[in-house]
Amino acid sequence: MAFFDLFRKKSVQDILNQVAKNEADGHQSLGKHLTTRDLTAFGIAAIVGAGIFSTIGKASADGGPAVIFLFIFTAIACGFAAFAYAEFASMVPVSGSAYTYSYVAFGEIIAWIIGWALIMEYAIGNITVAISWSDYFTGLLESGGIHLPHWIQMDYLTASNGYQDATALMQGGKSFDNLSSNLQAAYTAWTTAPTIGPLHIVADVPALAIIFIITALVYRGMKESRNASNLMVVVKLCVILLVIAVGVFYVDTENWHPFAPNGAAGVLKGVSAVFFAYIGFDAISTTAEECKNPQRDLPRGMMWAIIICTLLYVVIALVLTGMVQYSELNVGDPLAFVFTQLNLKWMSGIIAVSAVVAMASVLLVFQMGQPRIWMSMSRDGLLPPKFSRVHPKYRTPSYATVVTGFVVGIPALFLNLTIVTDLCSIGTLFAFVLVCAGVLVLQNKPNIPRGKFKTPYVNAKYIAPALLVLGLVVAFTYNKDNTLAFLTNEKQANSPADIVTNIGPAEAKIAYEFLVYKNESDAKTPDLEALLSKYADDEAQYKQLIAELPLNDDVKYQSGFELFKHKIPLWIFMIVLLGLVIWSYKQNLSLIPLLGLVSCLYMMAELSVWNWLYFTIWLLIGLFIYFGYSRKNSKLNAI
């Protein structure tokens, strides 16, 4: 019996009754201020940020003008998940997002797991956005002649790792001036930072500052947060429309040829980074109790936000790749870059300011989401009662908001941007997977109260197996070599940068002398990484060169378990996919949430095994808390 208690569920009616009794239990109700327009604005505020001001550049450089299909593909995948979110939000219009929905569909232990994952999603997401905002803000200050020391505008891990990589590359013959700007900044931050013994004092102070400012605004009230968000959305939409209006006159259609220079692989290369730009729509569902008409407005707000943002992404991508050659867009600030290239520096200044505003609006929406997750978990007894405390004047989850400020602000001083971006993505995708699965679990249960919105039903009984067969045919026909290499775990050559940064000066000298012996013209440069990179564009030639290189195989290749471990997430995906196809055939599952589940699980599989490991550790910590506190304090114990 104790085991089955882990899966005890809350009915939809129980949840709605509990919200109605909150005041009697000492929990004041939240203020109801939000309409469809406000929710759409929140969605735009969360989505239009890093994607349009930063990652669109790298994605365009990889995929060319055909990058527009990447945004469309990602929007469709998020749209599938949005249908599931909208159906649940209409069915259970309370704060809590995927946590509350999982309580209804799967039971308490799964609800706790997804709630714990959401805590990571919003916390890590906020840290990610704060670090990005800091980069934009310090760049804006530098353009105005204000230069902050590198060691107060960078996190500790980036500085430490960057210093080590820069040192290794310079030992391999690369000059400091030829290092990337990121490595130069990291090296400078590490070498100029004040020290206490062996400890270098490196911390991202601007990131901490913006988090505390936004936290104060969120604490102050939903109405104030809504007004600030709407204002920031208006500002950045005006700037984006200005970019389109001015940029369209500088489009040269010759730059759109070839349209897909690197094929489908180039287009899909940036899918994980672009996905991060779309995740904000799920934060809308955490504001359910503050909507005037949640069952109508939440689904509309989610859908409109995704549609509007996708249109903006597609148009901006076409304008950018038309203004300059796609290969030039691999920069951190592509919108400002293209206008600088055309000597329209006044536009670059406007864009730089709007980027700071855009990132602040993303942070605002994310910072609103996490306290409301904690509040919902506290109401159910899974977290201490303080987290459900509502401020008597501001009518916001006050204690949870303050704690969120510290939980996000302190790590933002020290954490690495790449690590937190991927962790945020895997937590978000996990939530999307469970919400889509929840709709599938509940679809055939007649005793579940339904909201005004329901996902359109298309029977996946035969479509899912047909799509699986089609995928296998494509894999073994058009991508046969890579598919067989994956299945046989064929060893893979490391990149030039990985080789150079993993050898010492003596080995670097041996490799350099070999390359000069092979081609005397290579003696013109002492940069070993650049010499190896000359061969990297031709895959066959590069493989031959690496095979002949007089270095140990463990430096030149990834093989055996060291290679296989990175494929574990994709093997998990394929096994689960087969199970889903069988389930859909037996139970006549709905196609749209099934496609949402598969799409999000695939994007999870594209993240590194280390992110899966860190995420697993986070979930294990959560389970320790659940069995130590939450299970015995759950309000379902009293039933």
Side-chain angles (χ1 to χ4, degrees), residues 82-141:
F83 269 107
Y85 265 92
E87 181 167 338
F88 265 124
S90 179
M91 185 191 309
V92 194
V94 299
S95 296
S97 185
Y99 158 75
T100 301
Y101 310 154
S102 296
Y103 222 141
V104 173
F106 303 110
E108 186 171 279
I109 185 66
I110 304 300
W112 168 266
I113 289 173
I114 194 61
W116 190 246
L118 285 170
I119 289 174
M120 187 185 77
E121 173 197 338
Y122 285 109
I124 298 296
N126 292 345
I127 293 168
T128 304
V129 177
I131 294 171
S132 297
W133 182 91
S134 175
D135 292 341
Y136 282 112
F137 179 70
T138 53
L140 181 62
L141 291 180

Side-chain angles (χ1 to χ4, degrees), residues 493-531:
N494 284 324
S495 69
D498 286 338
I499 292 174
V500 173
T501 54
N502 282 289
I503 59 177
E507 293 170 301
K509 183 179 179 181
I510 293 171
Y512 176 75
E513 290 174 349
F514 169 80
L515 293 173
V516 171
Y517 173 78
K518 191 174 182 65
N519 187 346
E520 291 185 6
S521 65
D522 286 345
K524 296 178 182 178
T525 174
D527 188 344
L528 178 59
E529 193 261 344
L531 294 181

Side-chain angles (χ1 to χ4, degrees), residues 22-168:
N22 277 336
E23 283 195 44
D25 293 337
H27 305 302
Q28 297 190 27
S29 62
L30 300 174
K32 296 183 180 293
H33 304 291
L34 304 180
T35 63
T36 299
R37 184 186 64 184
D38 298 320
L39 293 169
T40 303
F42 276 140
I44 296 172
I47 296 171
V48 179
I52 212 161
F53 286 99
S54 179
T55 57
I56 194 173
K58 176 66 165 62
S60 298
D62 289 332
V67 73
I68 62 172
F69 296 119
L70 173 60
F71 288 109
I72 294 172
F73 295 156
T74 309
I76 290 172
C78 289
F80 290 146
F83 269 107
Y85 265 92
E87 181 167 338
F88 265 124
S90 179
M91 185 191 309
V92 194
V94 299
S95 296
S97 185
Y99 158 75
T100 301
Y101 310 154
S102 296
Y103 222 141
V104 173
F106 303 110
E108 186 171 279
I109 185 66
I110 304 300
W112 168 266
I113 289 173
I114 194 61
W116 190 246
L118 285 170
I119 289 174
M120 187 185 77
E121 173 197 338
Y122 285 109
I124 298 296
N126 292 345
I127 293 168
T128 304
V129 177
I131 294 171
S132 297
W133 182 91
S134 175
D135 292 341
Y136 282 112
F137 179 70
T138 53
L140 181 62
L141 291 180
E142 288 183 6
S143 66
I146 301 174
H147 302 284
L148 298 178
H150 285 286
W151 55 271
I152 69 166
Q153 56 176 289
M154 183 178 297
D155 65 275
Y156 185 91
L157 289 176
T158 295
S160 176
N161 294 338
Y163 171 79
Q164 294 175 16
D165 288 346
T167 301

